[in-house]
Amino acid sequence: MSPLTRKRVEGTYLVLLAMLISVPVATVLWWFYRAVPFPYALDYNEGIVWKQMVEIAAGRGYAPIDGFPAIVFHYPPVFHLTAAALAETGLDPLVSGRVVSLISTAGSALIIGDLARRLTQPRRPLIAGVAMAAAMIVFLLFQAVHTWAPQMRVDAIACFFALAGLWCITRSDQRPALIYLAAICFVLSVFSKQVSVVTAAASFGALLLLRPRRAVPAITATVLLGLVVIAALTWQTNGGVLRHLFLYNINRFEVARLLPNLYHATKSDIPLLMLAAVGFFLILTNSRHNRRRWSELDLTTAAMLLFVPIATLSLVTTGKFGSSSSYYIQWEAGLAVFAAFAFALLVEAASKQLANGSTVRAAGWAAVPLILTLWTLGHRDLRHARSLEVLRLQDAEIVRLLDPVRGDIISDEMVILMRMHRNVVWEPAIFAELTRAGRWDEQLVIERIRDHRIGAVVSDGDRGFIWFDERYNPAVAAAMDEALPRKIRVGLRVVHLPAVTHSSLTATALSETPSAAAARK
């Protein structure tokens, strides 16, 4: 086969892959487009993060919780301040938080792409380009990544700053001063989400192994900067930031949750995980074969080889109650790099066989990336985007039911309260945990429910449903049944209201509004 013909075959094959992969990518982008302007919550945590942002921006963050209202601030303030700054432009606050997360996800994808490109060097530029594109696409196709990317949460920005720090470390051979920019990025990451230390550990581990003289000032700068920031926050909040982040932000832990959580978070990503495992093995064995000592590895390879095992060990944090698949995002960022490396090597193997005139072998190698790409066509659908209209109608119905309510309202869907300009006074999940740990007296809320100072409660399900039972301890649930016996189901949510005398409504009946029933159907 002539070189010209081979190039045409290669080009046609890559165009075919690009056309096929554009379908799931377009689906993910469509989900982002629909999710960002959605007026209500996409997840339980969005409303409380919005409330936290308002309080932090107003200088009331990390306040005592010995009274009522009571709000726990789960995270340091980097995300909240960034989203608040964007909201100052006039953008809707919820949309501002989602835009920050989406931009952070895009930035992470670009960094991951560049890391994959550098891992494939000094191969052909075409193969390096394939690796770069594949890394960005695989990252977005991971279920956890695209699920949480358009949400007002801290995870995406923490991942971006962590990866930016790692990128700076891997480029520090060319520009040694980048270690100080890396220190800033790592501190910003930890002060977005306090458990975000995995990437820093891998980066500094690579530096200690390969460039120990550079590692000492990098680690020193990061630690000192972190201490300065925590000292400033502690002084500004009168110690509140420490109490909230380390004393109040607690959750029970069960080892038995680890594997089920991992399965449910990644069950649709199995081929991507297998491809990442192949890539990791290829890099590890290739490095040992070509470079007999770790000290001779380049920083990018060493950092990535350390990153994935450390990140895998960190998944133990998913055993705590309240964790979600968002805990897998940084881990999957590392996996995307290795999956892209394996994908690029498969394409390269097919190209080499084609150049050698072995058409059958070339077709065999080319079939694997093609099959993986075809698999992605059924990997994603539009159910997320389609369900938003149903959720919007249901949440609008809840707003209608809550509008005449007097007194405070407790709601699992706290965005509704923010939209209604009602105060978020209490978050069920974290205070249920604090009560179980003996660190908060739930009589504060029980008395208010019984005295009808709490006019309504909106819960995800009712007794016997996992989310309800985790968020409302038996004593609180009993007080709700006593003071708010009328229950109206709207989709998966239940609105608990006081008893009424109208004969058309039975005080203890679990009913469903007509509009909510229509929306559900």
Side-chain angles (χ1 to χ4, degrees), residues 266-286:
T266 61
K267 61 183 178 181
S268 62
D269 300 324
I270 300 301
L272 299 180
L273 295 173
M274 293 174 63
L275 191 62
V278 170
F280 183 85
F281 175 78
L282 288 174
I283 292 178
L284 186 62
T285 55
N286 185 61

PDB file of all heavy atoms in Angstrom, residues 266-286:
ATOM      1  N   THR A 266     -20.060   3.655  38.752  1.00  0.00           N
ATOM      2  CA  THR A 266     -19.242   3.380  37.550  1.00  0.00           C
ATOM      3  C   THR A 266     -19.816   2.267  36.676  1.00  0.00           C
ATOM      4  O   THR A 266     -19.165   1.861  35.714  1.00  0.00           O
ATOM      5  CB  THR A 266     -17.820   2.976  37.961  1.00  0.00           C
ATOM      6  OG1 THR A 266     -17.868   1.778  38.756  1.00  0.00           O
ATOM      7  CG2 THR A 266     -17.152   4.080  38.767  1.00  0.00           C
ATOM      8  N   LYS A 267     -21.026   1.752  36.979  1.00  0.00           N
ATOM      9  CA  LYS A 267     -21.534   0.583  36.253  1.00  0.00           C
ATOM     10  C   LYS A 267     -21.709   0.846  34.756  1.00  0.00           C
ATOM     11  O   LYS A 267     -21.630  -0.082  33.953  1.00  0.00           O
ATOM     12  CB  LYS A 267     -22.849   0.116  36.861  1.00  0.00           C
ATOM     13  CG  LYS A 267     -23.978   1.133  36.820  1.00  0.00           C
ATOM     14  CD  LYS A 267     -25.209   0.586  37.526  1.00  0.00           C
ATOM     15  CE  LYS A 267     -26.329   1.608  37.543  1.00  0.00           C
ATOM     16  NZ  LYS A 267     -27.539   1.077  38.251  1.00  0.00           N
ATOM     17  N   SER A 268     -21.924   2.097  34.370  1.00  0.00           N
ATOM     18  CA  SER A 268     -22.046   2.397  32.942  1.00  0.00           C
ATOM     19  C   SER A 268     -20.716   2.778  32.314  1.00  0.00           C
ATOM     20  O   SER A 268     -20.651   3.101  31.136  1.00  0.00           O
ATOM     21  CB  SER A 268     -23.061   3.527  32.724  1.00  0.00           C
ATOM     22  OG  SER A 268     -22.626   4.712  33.359  1.00  0.00           O
ATOM     23  N   ASP A 269     -19.650   2.732  33.106  1.00  0.00           N
ATOM     24  CA  ASP A 269     -18.328   3.147  32.624  1.00  0.00           C
ATOM     25  C   ASP A 269     -17.347   1.981  32.536  1.00  0.00           C
ATOM     26  O   ASP A 269     -16.137   2.203  32.401  1.00  0.00           O
ATOM     27  CB  ASP A 269     -17.730   4.216  33.555  1.00  0.00           C
ATOM     28  CG  ASP A 269     -18.592   5.460  33.646  1.00  0.00           C
ATOM     29  OD1 ASP A 269     -19.184   5.834  32.626  1.00  0.00           O
ATOM     30  OD2 ASP A 269     -18.669   6.047  34.723  1.00  0.00           O
ATOM     31  N   ILE A 270     -17.821   0.756  32.620  1.00  0.00           N
ATOM     32  CA  ILE A 270     -16.931  -0.404  32.693  1.00  0.00           C
ATOM     33  C   ILE A 270     -15.933  -0.452  31.532  1.00  0.00           C
ATOM     34  O   ILE A 270     -14.728  -0.644  31.756  1.00  0.00           O
ATOM     35  CB  ILE A 270     -17.742  -1.713  32.774  1.00  0.00           C
ATOM     36  CG1 ILE A 270     -18.627  -1.714  34.029  1.00  0.00           C
ATOM     37  CG2 ILE A 270     -16.815  -2.917  32.781  1.00  0.00           C
ATOM     38  CD1 ILE A 270     -17.858  -1.570  35.325  1.00  0.00           C
ATOM     39  N   PRO A 271     -16.346  -0.282  30.268  1.00  0.00           N
ATOM     40  CA  PRO A 271     -15.351  -0.295  29.176  1.00  0.00           C
ATOM     41  C   PRO A 271     -14.281   0.780  29.319  1.00  0.00           C
ATOM     42  O   PRO A 271     -13.116   0.547  29.008  1.00  0.00           O
ATOM     43  CB  PRO A 271     -16.207  -0.089  27.921  1.00  0.00           C
ATOM     44  CG  PRO A 271     -17.552  -0.589  28.293  1.00  0.00           C
ATOM     45  CD  PRO A 271     -17.723  -0.207  29.737  1.00  0.00           C
ATOM     46  N   LEU A 272     -14.680   1.970  29.790  1.00  0.00           N
ATOM     47  CA  LEU A 272     -13.703   3.042  29.986  1.00  0.00           C
ATOM     48  C   LEU A 272     -12.719   2.668  31.086  1.00  0.00           C
ATOM     49  O   LEU A 272     -11.512   2.947  30.979  1.00  0.00           O
ATOM     50  CB  LEU A 272     -14.411   4.347  30.338  1.00  0.00           C
ATOM     51  CG  LEU A 272     -15.388   4.912  29.300  1.00  0.00           C
ATOM     52  CD1 LEU A 272     -15.999   6.212  29.797  1.00  0.00           C
ATOM     53  CD2 LEU A 272     -14.695   5.128  27.965  1.00  0.00           C
ATOM     54  N   LEU A 273     -13.221   2.052  32.148  1.00  0.00           N
ATOM     55  CA  LEU A 273     -12.343   1.632  33.239  1.00  0.00           C
ATOM     56  C   LEU A 273     -11.369   0.555  32.770  1.00  0.00           C
ATOM     57  O   LEU A 273     -10.184   0.577  33.132  1.00  0.00           O
ATOM     58  CB  LEU A 273     -13.172   1.112  34.411  1.00  0.00           C
ATOM     59  CG  LEU A 273     -14.080   2.129  35.110  1.00  0.00           C
ATOM     60  CD1 LEU A 273     -14.967   1.433  36.131  1.00  0.00           C
ATOM     61  CD2 LEU A 273     -13.261   3.223  35.773  1.00  0.00           C
ATOM     62  N   MET A 274     -11.844  -0.382  31.955  1.00  0.00           N
ATOM     63  CA  MET A 274     -10.978  -1.435  31.434  1.00  0.00           C
ATOM     64  C   MET A 274      -9.905  -0.850  30.525  1.00  0.00           C
ATOM     65  O   MET A 274      -8.738  -1.238  30.586  1.00  0.00           O
ATOM     66  CB  MET A 274     -11.811  -2.470  30.685  1.00  0.00           C
ATOM     67  CG  MET A 274     -12.751  -3.266  31.569  1.00  0.00           C
ATOM     68  SD  MET A 274     -13.851  -4.372  30.641  1.00  0.00           S
ATOM     69  CE  MET A 274     -12.636  -5.466  29.889  1.00  0.00           C
ATOM     70  N   LEU A 275     -10.290   0.106  29.703  1.00  0.00           N
ATOM     71  CA  LEU A 275      -9.328   0.751  28.818  1.00  0.00           C
ATOM     72  C   LEU A 275      -8.283   1.507  29.630  1.00  0.00           C
ATOM     73  O   LEU A 275      -7.086   1.488  29.297  1.00  0.00           O
ATOM     74  CB  LEU A 275     -10.061   1.715  27.879  1.00  0.00           C
ATOM     75  CG  LEU A 275      -9.265   2.302  26.709  1.00  0.00           C
ATOM     76  CD1 LEU A 275      -8.785   1.202  25.775  1.00  0.00           C
ATOM     77  CD2 LEU A 275     -10.102   3.319  25.957  1.00  0.00           C
ATOM     78  N   ALA A 276      -8.716   2.171  30.706  1.00  0.00           N
ATOM     79  CA  ALA A 276      -7.771   2.888  31.571  1.00  0.00           C
ATOM     80  C   ALA A 276      -6.794   1.922  32.230  1.00  0.00           C
ATOM     81  O   ALA A 276      -5.600   2.217  32.351  1.00  0.00           O
ATOM     82  CB  ALA A 276      -8.540   3.676  32.635  1.00  0.00           C
ATOM     83  N   ALA A 277      -7.289   0.757  32.664  1.00  0.00           N
ATOM     84  CA  ALA A 277      -6.412  -0.244  33.278  1.00  0.00           C
ATOM     85  C   ALA A 277      -5.364  -0.728  32.283  1.00  0.00           C
ATOM     86  O   ALA A 277      -4.181  -0.898  32.632  1.00  0.00           O
ATOM     87  CB  ALA A 277      -7.237  -1.419  33.793  1.00  0.00           C
ATOM     88  N   VAL A 278      -5.768  -0.932  31.045  1.00  0.00           N
ATOM     89  CA  VAL A 278      -4.817  -1.345  29.999  1.00  0.00           C
ATOM     90  C   VAL A 278      -3.768  -0.257  29.791  1.00  0.00           C
ATOM     91  O   VAL A 278      -2.567  -0.544  29.686  1.00  0.00           O
ATOM     92  CB  VAL A 278      -5.563  -1.643  28.684  1.00  0.00           C
ATOM     93  CG1 VAL A 278      -4.575  -1.840  27.528  1.00  0.00           C
ATOM     94  CG2 VAL A 278      -6.433  -2.879  28.841  1.00  0.00           C
ATOM     95  N   GLY A 279      -4.210   0.979  29.738  1.00  0.00           N
ATOM     96  CA  GLY A 279      -3.268   2.083  29.552  1.00  0.00           C
ATOM     97  C   GLY A 279      -2.276   2.197  30.683  1.00  0.00           C
ATOM     98  O   GLY A 279      -1.079   2.415  30.461  1.00  0.00           O
ATOM     99  N   PHE A 280      -2.767   2.047  31.911  1.00  0.00           N
ATOM    100  CA  PHE A 280      -1.871   2.102  33.073  1.00  0.00           C
ATOM    101  C   PHE A 280      -0.826   0.990  32.994  1.00  0.00           C
ATOM    102  O   PHE A 280       0.363   1.216  33.230  1.00  0.00           O
ATOM    103  CB  PHE A 280      -2.689   1.973  34.358  1.00  0.00           C
ATOM    104  CG  PHE A 280      -1.869   2.084  35.617  1.00  0.00           C
ATOM    105  CD1 PHE A 280      -1.570   3.320  36.145  1.00  0.00           C
ATOM    106  CD2 PHE A 280      -1.404   0.955  36.265  1.00  0.00           C
ATOM    107  CE1 PHE A 280      -0.811   3.434  37.308  1.00  0.00           C
ATOM    108  CE2 PHE A 280      -0.646   1.052  37.417  1.00  0.00           C
ATOM    109  CZ  PHE A 280      -0.359   2.296  37.943  1.00  0.00           C
ATOM    110  N   PHE A 281      -1.272  -0.214  32.657  1.00  0.00           N
ATOM    111  CA  PHE A 281      -0.352  -1.350  32.551  1.00  0.00           C
ATOM    112  C   PHE A 281       0.686  -1.115  31.447  1.00  0.00           C
ATOM    113  O   PHE A 281       1.880  -1.389  31.637  1.00  0.00           O
ATOM    114  CB  PHE A 281      -1.140  -2.628  32.271  1.00  0.00           C
ATOM    115  CG  PHE A 281      -0.280  -3.838  32.037  1.00  0.00           C
ATOM    116  CD1 PHE A 281       0.312  -4.502  33.104  1.00  0.00           C
ATOM    117  CD2 PHE A 281      -0.045  -4.312  30.756  1.00  0.00           C
ATOM    118  CE1 PHE A 281       1.116  -5.610  32.896  1.00  0.00           C
ATOM    119  CE2 PHE A 281       0.751  -5.418  30.536  1.00  0.00           C
ATOM    120  CZ  PHE A 281       1.338  -6.071  31.609  1.00  0.00           C
ATOM    121  N   LEU A 282       0.247  -0.588  30.325  1.00  0.00           N
ATOM    122  CA  LEU A 282       1.169  -0.352  29.211  1.00  0.00           C
ATOM    123  C   LEU A 282       2.227   0.679  29.578  1.00  0.00           C
ATOM    124  O   LEU A 282       3.412   0.508  29.268  1.00  0.00           O
ATOM    125  CB  LEU A 282       0.390   0.113  27.975  1.00  0.00           C
ATOM    126  CG  LEU A 282      -0.467  -0.954  27.277  1.00  0.00           C
ATOM    127  CD1 LEU A 282      -1.287  -0.311  26.167  1.00  0.00           C
ATOM    128  CD2 LEU A 282       0.418  -2.060  26.720  1.00  0.00           C
ATOM    129  N   ILE A 283       1.810   1.747  30.239  1.00  0.00           N
ATOM    130  CA  ILE A 283       2.783   2.774  30.626  1.00  0.00           C
ATOM    131  C   ILE A 283       3.739   2.230  31.675  1.00  0.00           C
ATOM    132  O   ILE A 283       4.953   2.455  31.611  1.00  0.00           O
ATOM    133  CB  ILE A 283       2.063   4.027  31.162  1.00  0.00           C
ATOM    134  CG1 ILE A 283       1.305   4.715  30.034  1.00  0.00           C
ATOM    135  CG2 ILE A 283       3.061   5.003  31.781  1.00  0.00           C
ATOM    136  CD1 ILE A 283       0.525   5.920  30.465  1.00  0.00           C
ATOM    137  N   LEU A 284       3.209   1.503  32.632  1.00  0.00           N
ATOM    138  CA  LEU A 284       4.057   0.971  33.702  1.00  0.00           C
ATOM    139  C   LEU A 284       5.085  -0.009  33.148  1.00  0.00           C
ATOM    140  O   LEU A 284       6.278   0.093  33.447  1.00  0.00           O
ATOM    141  CB  LEU A 284       3.182   0.284  34.758  1.00  0.00           C
ATOM    142  CG  LEU A 284       3.891  -0.209  36.018  1.00  0.00           C
ATOM    143  CD1 LEU A 284       4.500   0.964  36.768  1.00  0.00           C
ATOM    144  CD2 LEU A 284       2.910  -0.960  36.916  1.00  0.00           C
ATOM    145  N   THR A 285       4.643  -0.951  32.338  1.00  0.00           N
ATOM    146  CA  THR A 285       5.581  -1.947  31.782  1.00  0.00           C
ATOM    147  C   THR A 285       6.520  -1.315  30.776  1.00  0.00           C
ATOM    148  O   THR A 285       7.695  -1.665  30.707  1.00  0.00           O
ATOM    149  CB  THR A 285       4.807  -3.097  31.127  1.00  0.00           C
ATOM    150  OG1 THR A 285       3.894  -2.565  30.143  1.00  0.00           O
ATOM    151  CG2 THR A 285       4.042  -3.882  32.159  1.00  0.00           C
ATOM    152  N   ASN A 286       6.024  -0.375  29.993  1.00  0.00           N
ATOM    153  CA  ASN A 286       6.873   0.299  29.016  1.00  0.00           C
ATOM    154  C   ASN A 286       7.941   1.120  29.715  1.00  0.00           C
ATOM    155  O   ASN A 286       9.099   1.145  29.308  1.00  0.00           O
ATOM    156  CB  ASN A 286       6.036   1.189  28.103  1.00  0.00           C
ATOM    157  CG  ASN A 286       6.855   1.818  26.987  1.00  0.00           C
ATOM    158  OD1 ASN A 286       7.436   1.117  26.168  1.00  0.00           O
ATOM    159  ND2 ASN A 286       6.916   3.133  26.973  1.00  0.00           N
TER     160      ASN A 286
END
